[in-house]
Amino acid sequence: QEFEHAEVVRLWDSLLSHPQKIVYLNYICLAMIELIRDRILQTDDFADLIEMLQKQTNGDLDAILVEAGKLYKAHAKPEERVYHIAFSS
């Protein structure tokens, strides 16, 4: 995934400020996949699927971080939910 420089800084800031960095990173990755879920399900060819995942065109970092926050809040283990993420619906 390629982001603009400012977005990379924001993404790293989001990751590094989270007390559960590795756990939260997993939710960011899951959010990126979730946002292109319909396109993934419509792809029949494995090579096309891999290329789509490598060159994901949904570079909307706001949407990714909001989705990651929702997923984290909904699915993180109670002992991992030490961090409240504020996000808009």
Side-chain angles (χ1 to χ4, degrees):
Q1 178 76 40
E2 293 186 19
F3 291 103
E4 297 293 323
H5 183 265
E7 291 175 326
V8 171
V9 171
R10 185 169 169 223
L11 181 58
W12 275 104
D13 184 55
S14 178
L15 281 170
L16 295 175
S17 66
H18 199 287
Q20 297 288 330
K21 292 167 185 53
I22 301 301
V23 171
Y24 187 58
L25 174 61
N26 291 328
Y27 285 100
I28 289 175
C29 295
L30 182 59
M32 292 172 71
I33 292 171
E34 182 67 29
L35 290 171
I36 62 167
R37 180 181 186 270
D38 292 336
R39 287 177 43 209
I40 290 171
L41 293 174
Q42 293 172 358
T43 304
D44 294 331
D45 184 56
F46 180 75
D48 290 342
L49 175 62
I50 296 301
E51 185 175 345
M52 180 193 329
L53 291 171
Q54 290 175 339
K55 298 178 181 179
Q56 186 183 108
T57 58
N58 183 2
D60 184 358
L61 186 59
D62 288 333
I64 292 169
L65 292 177
V66 167
E67 185 67 20
K70 288 178 183 178
L71 291 168
Y72 177 82
K73 187 175 179 182
H75 300 289
K77 296 176 186 174
E79 63 271 13
E80 294 171 346
R81 283 190 232 140
V82 297
Y83 189 69
H84 174 70
I85 298 174
F87 57 86
S88 59
S89 303

